[in-house]
Amino acid sequence: MPAKIDEHKSQTVCPEVRSRLRDIVGASTNWRDHVQAMQERKALHTLLAKRQEDLPPRRMKDSYLEVLLPLGSQPEIREKYLNVHNSVRFGRILEDLDSLGVLICYTHTKQEMQPRSPLSIVTALVDKINLCKKVIYPDCDIKFTGNVSWVGKTSMEVKMHMLQLHDGDYSPVLDATFVMVARDPENKRPAFVNPLVPESPEEEEIFKQGELNKLKRIDFSTASLLKMAPTAEERNVIHDIFLNTLDTKTVSFRSRILPPNSVWMEDAKLKGLQICHPQERNIFNRIFGGFLMRKAFELGWATACSYGCSRPFIVSVDDIMFQRPVEVGSLLLLSGQVCYTEKNYIQVRVHSEVYDADTREHHTTNIFHFTFISENEVPRVVPKTYGESMLYLDGKRHFAAIMKEI
């Protein structure tokens, strides 16, 4: 990626990213006008490509963007990002990454003669976010960089990096990989996006990695414990846990005792509720994915904090699938569960669902996976039921994949 970029490719302050996104799609800043604004987008259907081959190919550097978050040079914006430990709220960073990822994709698909994009680009998946720093300082400038790294027919992978200024130099804080999908102006059907052409052996390797990431996601989904039985090794793990929790004084499969320095999984959860107000809407007048990630992370952090009885630090975020949009006005139910522990690591799964008060139905919208590291070694979490055992194995799989990655 080029070290120096054109001035028009550099943004300052993350709110400007969201302002630019509103301009690109013609979204209204007034909630009362949102229906009219969406109606006006219907006319953009004629601008959609009939085939991907009709769209001009793009290079990786065409979508490259830098965004500055001047926490050091503009102290007035610090308050929004500050947590009680005098470091940066990671949930706010998730919001900024989500907005930037969408803007990068709009930059990739921009047509010179079209002031407004006919595409509705939304986050489909957070593949992974790996951190290399425990603490993000609230009084030092932050720089985000990113570009489209792989393209399918209607989807785009975006790689982003976050750096923080120390002693005159920017040092890495995290790397993130998001997958975005393009849909028609009404956000109903898939839409074609510009193909991506690697220009160097390094870029060909990045593109190939994007293809491998897609295949890995398919393999992981195929082997899901919701579809396939655990492996023989995993079955042995669960049976060993079961045997270790049997009461030896009785000859009963139902009499269970908790081993020393352990916590039953049913006692390692927290729940929360959010009313989804218009303030949290995205440019398509549904609830902003970054807001959902922030709320899920904060519940996940609280779950890990209460479990480990000390301050946890985020190590990794992975495999966040946006299964269905959340409408404005929804009741959002969040459930955080410690599902696996090892030494001082805590694997937390947050399940989010919307509740329809009229039909009394619950619909899952997201599953979030967070890996935390605690300051001290934590108790072992122990499943009791078969369902909890599957959660345990799923958490173990995610933890193993993260440890391999980092």
Side-chain angles (χ1 to χ4, degrees):
M1 286 301 98
K4 208 171 176 186
I5 60 170
D6 296 337
E7 238 178 73
H8 74 279
K9 290 266 180 140
S10 181
Q11 309 289 311
T12 57
V13 193
C14 292
E16 288 190 13
V17 170
R18 290 173 200 134
S19 174
R20 193 169 160 198
L21 285 172
R22 280 195 295 270
D23 292 340
I24 289 170
V25 302
S28 173
T29 54
N30 191 332
W31 168 244
R32 287 174 298 180
D33 300 334
H34 75 280
V35 174
Q36 181 185 340
M38 289 296 105
Q39 285 293 328
E40 290 171 359
R41 279 188 60 77
K42 285 185 180 179
L44 299 175
H45 266 282
T46 57
L47 302 177
L48 291 174
K50 300 287 189 294
R51 306 176 307 156
Q52 189 178 38
E53 293 75 18
D54 296 336
L55 294 166
R58 298 281 191 249
R59 303 165 296 178
M60 287 191 187
K61 64 184 178 184
D62 291 334
S63 62
Y64 180 79
L65 289 181
E66 284 189 3
V67 173
L68 301 176
L69 181 59
L71 297 178
S73 48
Q74 293 184 21
E76 64 273 12
I77 67 171
R78 267 181 222 160
E79 192 81 5
K80 178 183 173 184
Y81 286 84
L82 191 65
N83 68 24
V84 71
H85 300 287
N86 197 36
S87 60
V88 169
R89 294 170 63 184
F90 184 67
R92 292 292 188 196
I93 299 301
L94 290 174
E95 290 183 325
D96 292 339
L97 287 170
D98 193 46
S99 294
L100 178 61
V102 174
L103 182 58
I104 287 169
C105 289
Y106 273 118
T107 306
H108 173 85
T109 57
K110 181 176 171 55
Q111 307 297 333
E112 291 302 325
M113 304 305 291
Q114 297 174 5
R116 286 189 180 175
S117 175
L119 299 176
S120 301
I121 297 175
V122 295
T123 307
L125 172 77
V126 178
D127 189 59
K128 58 195 165 196
I129 303 173
N130 292 334
L131 288 88
C132 54
K133 293 276 176 70
K134 281 176 75 172
V135 176
I136 306 170
Y137 299 100
D139 53 357
C140 299
D141 286 357
I142 286 173
K143 178 166 66 175
F144 297 95
T145 68
N147 61 274
V148 172
S149 52
W150 173 86
V151 166
K153 292 284 187 184
T154 62
S155 59
M156 295 163 279
E157 181 190 87
V158 179
K159 286 200 179 297
M160 292 173 282
H161 312 280
M162 176 177 146
L163 308 97
Q164 189 157 41
L165 188 63
H166 291 291
D167 301 323
D169 290 318
Y170 279 100
S171 57
V173 176
L174 65 79
D175 298 317
T177 305
F178 282 46
V179 177
M180 309 292 183
V181 291
R183 301 176 71 79
D184 66 15
E186 297 177 79
N187 199 7
K188 290 180 178 177
R189 296 179 184 84
F192 293 114
V193 298
N194 302 67
L196 182 66
V197 180
E199 288 191 302
S200 67
E202 181 193 357
E203 288 189 356
E204 284 176 8
E205 194 59 39
I206 292 170
F207 190 89
K208 192 188 298 181
Q209 186 59 52
E211 194 66 43
L212 289 173
N213 288 343
K214 179 186 175 185
L215 294 174
K216 271 198 291 188
R217 287 192 294 271
I218 293 171
D219 289 343
F220 205 82
S221 173
T222 304
S224 167
L225 292 164
L226 291 170
K227 301 174 184 175
M228 299 281 289
T231 65
E233 183 184 347
E234 288 174 332
R235 289 197 295 272
N236 286 336
V237 167
I238 293 306
H239 195 65
D240 285 345
I241 292 173
F242 174 70
L243 293 177
N244 288 335
T245 59
L246 282 180
D247 187 350
T248 55
K249 295 175 185 175
T250 67
V251 188
S252 170
F253 288 119
R254 293 186 178 183
S255 187
R256 310 283 292 275
I257 56 170
L258 187 64
N261 195 32
S262 300
V263 176
W264 290 121
M265 190 178 278
E266 65 186 6
D267 298 324
K269 62 175 71 172
L270 287 179
K271 295 192 175 185
L273 166 70
Q274 292 292 324
I275 301 173
C276 298
H277 296 291
Q279 180 188 6
E280 311 302 345
R281 73 191 187 280
N282 63 15
I283 51 178
F284 304 114
N285 293 299
R286 284 171 166 152
I287 295 301
F288 172 43
F291 170 78
L292 301 175
M293 285 194 281
R294 172 164 66 88
K295 288 300 178 183
F297 167 76
E298 289 173 352
L299 181 64
W301 184 91
T303 305
C305 183
S306 64
Y307 184 86
C309 299
S310 64
R311 179 187 178 186
F313 296 88
I314 184 69
V315 173
S316 183
V317 181
D318 81 304
D319 196 28
I320 298 176
M321 182 75 75
F322 287 80
Q323 297 182 15
R324 62 188 295 152
V326 177
E327 303 293 341
V328 172
S330 297
L331 294 178
L332 183 70
L333 308 174
L334 297 162
S335 179
Q337 173 74 67
V338 174
C339 53
Y340 182 75
T341 56
E342 189 171 308
K343 296 179 180 175
N344 55 341
Y345 286 99
I346 306 172
Q347 188 71 31
V348 178
R349 179 184 191 267
V350 177
H351 175 266
S352 77
E353 60 184 359
V354 288
Y355 172 66
D356 189 320
D358 295 327
T359 64
R360 297 192 175 185
E361 291 180 333
H362 293 252
H363 298 287
T364 297
T365 60
N366 304 81
I367 304 291
F368 304 86
H369 300 275
F370 302 108
T371 307
F372 294 95
I373 187 166
S374 186
E375 292 174 322
N376 307 308
E377 191 160 324
V378 299
R380 185 182 182 190
V381 70
V382 180
K384 190 183 284 186
T385 66
Y386 186 80
E388 287 178 350
S389 297
M390 295 305 99
L391 280 178
Y392 181 90
L393 290 178
D394 187 58
K396 191 174 189 294
R397 287 181 179 184
H398 278 282
F399 179 73
I402 292 303
M403 291 298 105
K404 188 177 178 184
E405 190 84 32
I406 65 175

